[in-house]
Amino acid sequence: MRFTKYITELIRVNSGHSSKAFFLVSVTAIGCLLLLCVAFILVWEIIATGTIHTDLMGLSAFVGSVASLFVTAGITKVYSERNENKNNNDGNEE
């Protein structure tokens, strides 16, 4: 019940809750979890076989895609905050 109420507050405009901040935090948490899984798999493979047989080019593409998710979430938040501050300053200059 509490989670659905919070999601409803995120969707509502001018509720005081920032959906962009929620998106940034959730993408960061999920991305870190994905990168930790990759690190665990590499360490497990080294312990089990003594070498890495995994395609490292594929892993670099995966890490790059997770990094692009971080950048997308961050840029969205920064751009909206910049425009929000610009709009607030325009109204206060009278």
Side-chain angles (χ1 to χ4, degrees), residues 28-59:
T28 302
I30 291 170
C32 288
L33 181 68
L34 289 172
L35 293 177
L36 284 174
C37 289
V38 168
F40 175 75
I41 289 170
L42 285 176
V43 169
W44 182 264
E45 188 174 12
I46 290 172
I47 291 171
T49 64
T51 186
I52 297 177
H53 296 290
T54 304
D55 178 26
L56 295 179
M57 289 297 288
L59 280 180

Side-chain angles (χ1 to χ4, degrees), residues 5-72:
K5 183 178 178 184
Y6 182 67
I7 295 298
T8 305
E9 289 292 320
L10 285 175
I11 294 171
R12 191 172 349 137
V13 177
N14 293 330
S15 66
H17 297 275
S18 174
S19 59
K20 292 176 287 297
F22 175 76
F23 179 67
L24 181 63
V25 170
S26 63
V27 164
T28 302
I30 291 170
C32 288
L33 181 68
L34 289 172
L35 293 177
L36 284 174
C37 289
V38 168
F40 175 75
I41 289 170
L42 285 176
V43 169
W44 182 264
E45 188 174 12
I46 290 172
I47 291 171
T49 64
T51 186
I52 297 177
H53 296 290
T54 304
D55 178 26
L56 295 179
M57 289 297 288
L59 280 180
S60 67
F62 179 76
V63 170
S65 65
V66 171
S68 69
L69 285 175
F70 288 148
V71 169
T72 302

